[in-house]
Amino acid sequence: MSEVDGLNRLQFADGADAHLIGGRPVTGNAGFEVIDPATGRAFALCPDASRADLDAAVAAARAAFPGWAARTYEDRRALIAALADRISAAADDLAPLLTREHGKPLAQARMELAVSGHHMKQLSALDLADEVLRDDERGKVELRWHPLGVVGAIAPWNFPIALAMHKVAQALYTGNTLILKPSPYTPLTTLAIGRLVADLLPPGVLNILAGGNDLGAWMTAHEGIDKISFTGSVATGKKVMASAAATLKRITLELGGNDATLVLEDADLDLAAAGVARSGFYNCGQICMAIKRVYVAEPVRDAFLGKLVEKVSALKVGPGSAGGMDMGPIQNGPQYEKVKAYLADALARPGAQVLTGGQVLPGEGYFIEPTVIAGLDETVPLVCEEQFGPVMPVLSFASEDEAVQRANDSRFGLGASVWSTDETRARAVAGQLMAGTVWINRHGLNESDVPFGGMKESGYGREHGVLGIRAYQELQVVSRPVG
Ligand code: NAD
């Protein structure tokens, strides 16, 4: 153990001291430190699951599966609604812990918790009824949807609760049981939620294990887990896919992005500037589907950038717990170093022009000013890689064809957007963009009843909506002759 603030020995955080296995809190011996990104110092310990803990969780989930799978959708919907209500009702109580471990402003932490409950209800309201494919002189053919068994859900740190709870709702509503692993950077609020909801579900239906990357790798290789729902980086997604191949697990991969936005010359520039600033800097730019590259038509470049810079330079940056902040620190040390390196490299390029920001803030914590940089091209890592932070490159284009070609010249394909007052033109451009979602005159809306996922290396499969949730089910065809 190490010192916290030079005074106390590190301890487990209140309500976040145990895994949830088979409906019971289980505290392991080992613990790892959780850092407050606003100070860069450890503030709590987190229990670290062992292989034996994983085996116990898998056994509990397998034992609970037949009973849970046999329930009706209505039954499961009611229990998920109870779970969602309890999380939403605890938003005020849990938000300080989420802010402490994540860094995001308190109001945004509260919002994440409340919205998670809302999305869980939306997901468990989807109509997943079996279908009759045909019933005619050739016989009757039905499509019936079965649960898969035990799902392993592996979550990242950028929206620790929302992204995890989407997986919980989708897996449980479809009749699967679940083992959820939060990111080691942000495990505590998830464990606290486990404590909070433990009595609502039959034991073993929802299990939560905190641990490091090894725990994730054990899950992807475990013979007792039937599907992995993974959200995280492209690099880890590839490891998950390779490891899951050994047991032919079903997988859904929600991975990184380098979303381009195209501001056409007929765009409403006020709307576009506000939307680009919001999408690019909310959550400190740490959103898979954040705008990470801006392409603006040359004739409106200066007018648009003036408006964008006005919005971005007005953002307030500071500790999430301080109140009134728009942006907190970068969530963790390695990500902070990565964003600083992208920034330093970009600043050193001939022609680079900082339009606002550009500074790493002095003092403790992982703070970087919201930054907009012009004068770069696609050879610069800040432009062609996923920066996942508050540093936005802006480029200009002479023709739409050129803009589309440059936007598509990427191994990523998560989201993209087009700003234009001409609906026909915007739809034509959208149709040429190789991205799982293309927004017109907005960017980054997350709705649980709409399928979401990436093309190319941004993912494999979809989550959300009926099309996404079907990935938590196995299709069975039942066929019989007439009469
Ligand atoms: P990450 O890949 O480092 O970690 C994600 C999770 O995987 C963590 O829980 C981690 O412990 C676990 N993990 C690490 N190694 C593993 C392994 N070998 N096997 C199994 N699990 C392993 O990602 P991150 O840094 O936590 O998250 C940021 C990334 O997530 C960004 O690239 C972002 O774009 C992406 N993301 C995508 C979406 C989406 O919906 N497409 C949403 C949010 C974040």
Side-chain angles (χ1 to χ4, degrees):
M1 291 195 192
S2 62
E3 302 288 321
V4 188
D5 298 333
L7 291 173
N8 305 314
R9 305 294 279 177
L10 278 186
Q11 295 180 339
F12 291 118
D14 241 6
D17 59 344
H19 313 292
L20 178 66
I21 301 177
R24 288 184 308 107
V26 173
T27 317
N29 292 327
F32 59 90
E33 293 179 345
V34 181
I35 310 280
D36 177 347
T39 63
R41 291 195 299 275
F43 72 97
L45 282 180
C46 177
D48 194 4
S50 64
R51 270 184 195 267
D53 292 326
L54 176 60
D55 288 341
V58 170
R62 295 218 78 82
F65 173 65
W68 185 247
R71 291 183 181 233
T72 62
Y73 285 116
E74 290 70 29
D75 246 14
R76 295 193 295 252
R77 178 180 302 138
L79 286 170
I80 292 166
L83 217 139
D85 284 341
R86 204 172 277 181
I87 294 170
S88 298
D92 285 348
D93 292 340
L94 291 173
L97 181 60
L98 182 54
T99 288
R100 189 93 197 264
E101 66 177 340
H102 184 280
K104 63 180 67 191
L106 206 50
Q108 293 177 23
R110 224 178 273 125
M111 169 84 89
E112 181 177 347
L113 287 151
V115 164
S116 300
H118 172 66
H119 281 171
M120 292 172 83
K121 287 187 171 178
Q122 269 192 331
L123 286 161
S124 56
L126 294 171
D127 179 5
L128 300 180
D130 292 343
E131 298 157 44
V132 176
L133 183 68
R134 67 163 190 253
D135 189 4
D136 57 21
E137 69 286 352
R138 291 176 296 168
K140 183 173 180 180
V141 178
E142 292 170 82
L143 304 182
R144 297 173 74 174
W145 298 91
H146 292 260
L148 292 162
V150 176
V151 172
I154 301 178
W157 47 258
N158 61 329
F159 286 95
I161 306 307
L163 295 169
M165 292 307 140
H166 292 164
K167 297 183 190 303
V168 170
Q170 292 177 104
L172 298 193
Y173 180 47
T174 46
N176 302 283
T177 54
L178 183 80
I179 298 164
L180 167 64
K181 185 194 102 60
S183 164
Y185 292 113
T186 52
L188 300 177
T189 314
T190 309
L191 291 182
I193 287 176
R195 272 288 170 104
L196 190 71
V197 304
D199 63 310
L200 288 176
L201 298 167
V205 168
L206 169 64
N207 305 276
I208 301 176
L209 297 180
N213 297 346
D214 284 354
L215 174 61
W218 299 336
M219 287 169 70
T220 61
H222 204 292
E223 292 197 344
I225 294 180
D226 302 286
K227 174 191 168 85
I228 295 287
S229 171
F230 173 83
T231 301
S233 62
V234 172
T236 310
K238 289 179 180 176
K239 289 185 196 166
V240 170
M241 193 169 192
S243 169
T247 47
L248 270 185
K249 281 182 182 48
R250 301 319 185 235
I251 51 170
T252 305
L253 303 177
E254 294 286 355
L255 308 178
N258 190 17
D259 289 15
T261 193
L262 276 52
V263 182
L264 307 190
E265 64 193 72
D266 65 358
D268 175 334
L269 297 185
D270 290 309
L271 184 74
V276 172
R278 192 168 44 247
S279 163
F281 295 92
Y282 190 79
N283 211 39
C284 207
Q286 301 165 132
I287 307 184
C288 55
M289 54 177 155
I291 291 174
K292 299 186 179 119
R293 303 178 276 159
V294 180
Y295 291 90
V296 53
E298 276 164 9
V300 294
R301 178 189 182 274
D302 292 349
F304 170 75
L305 291 183
K307 292 174 191 292
L308 177 65
V309 164
E310 191 184 317
K311 296 274 178 207
V312 175
S313 55
L315 296 173
K316 286 205 192 103
V317 186
S321 57
M325 294 300 158
D326 299 301
M327 238 178 67
I330 303 268
Q331 198 282 317
N332 60 69
Q335 185 61 28
Y336 176 57
E337 295 304 326
K338 207 166 147 183
V339 178
K340 280 199 299 184
Y342 281 129
L343 178 60
D345 170 82
L347 293 179
R349 302 279 170 158
Q353 193 192 355
V354 176
L355 303 182
T356 183
Q359 299 296 317
V360 174
L361 296 181
E364 61 180 13
Y366 307 142
F367 295 95
I368 295 180
E369 276 186 321
T371 299
V372 179
I373 306 183
L376 306 174
D377 63 26
E378 284 85 358
T379 61
V380 178
L382 178 66
V383 180
C384 65
E385 296 179 10
E386 184 187 36
Q387 72 272 44
F388 219 59
V391 183
M392 175 184 273
V394 290
L395 302 89
S396 57
F397 63 85
S399 76
E400 277 167 32
D401 286 350
E402 174 206 332
V404 166
Q405 184 272 322
R406 289 165 69 190
N408 283 341
D409 187 15
S410 170
R411 300 185 73 83
F412 294 103
L414 190 60
S417 51
V418 188
W419 304 83
S420 168
T421 49
D422 180 338
E423 164 80 11
T424 308
R425 190 177 178 190
R427 288 192 72 251
V429 172
Q432 298 172 68
L433 290 168
M434 294 293 291
T437 304
V438 182
W439 290 277
I440 294 175
N441 293 334
R442 62 184 181 191
H443 190 114
L445 198 66
N446 185 353
E447 298 167 294
S448 308
D449 51 351
V450 178
F452 180 75
M455 291 186 184
K456 300 192 265 185
E457 291 194 6
S458 283
Y460 194 88
R462 295 289 183 273
E463 290 208 299
H464 301 176
V466 173
L467 279 170
I469 209 169
R470 290 293 191 206
Y472 289 80
Q473 298 181 305
E474 195 74 87
L475 173 64
Q476 180 185 54
V477 173
V478 177
S479 175
R480 63 179 163 81
V482 182

